[in-house]
Amino acid sequence: MIKTTGIIIAINKLWWLRINTKALKAMDMHSSKYPHIIKIKYHVNGKEYIKRQYIGILNNIPDVGSTIQIIYDENNPSKIKIIF
């Protein structure tokens, strides 16, 4: 596994996948959280890769245009893991 940096180029909120964090809801949206899918652009050996990655409700969502640390497999650079 090799470490590199990538750039966030898009963030999509999964509105249809609402996760309630409390057993009882006082109002409609107060106790709900939504996971996100981010699109990351990174380069390996001069080749550009774009990968979509699921981000759960427990992780902080980075901003579009920010850099993020990723780990990729040297045999298959399209497989990545995000380092939070």
Side-chain angles (χ1 to χ4, degrees), residues 1-81:
M1 299 297 242
I2 300 173
K3 185 190 275 190
T4 188
T5 58
I7 298 173
I8 307 294
I9 57 173
I11 299 173
N12 292 325
K13 185 184 279 191
L14 300 177
W15 289 100
W16 51 269
L17 186 58
R18 181 172 67 186
I19 299 170
N20 294 325
T21 57
K22 296 181 182 175
L24 297 174
K25 297 191 300 185
M27 296 186 78
D28 198 24
M29 302 295 272
H30 284 272
S31 64
S32 298
K33 298 199 180 230
Y34 299 92
H36 291 75
I37 290 183
I38 61 173
K39 195 180 282 188
I40 305 165
K41 179 172 69 172
Y42 61 101
H43 295 83
V44 175
N45 297 330
K47 185 175 178 185
E48 180 178 278
Y49 291 89
I50 296 177
K51 180 75 174 174
R52 295 187 316 161
Q53 190 75 27
Y54 174 85
I55 303 293
I57 63 169
L58 299 176
N59 297 320
N60 292 329
I61 306 301
D63 296 326
V64 173
S66 63
T67 59
I68 192 166
Q69 295 287 322
I70 59 172
I71 295 176
Y72 67 90
D73 184 10
E74 60 186 301
N75 297 326
N76 189 359
S78 63
K79 292 190 177 184
I80 65 167
K81 291 183 183 177

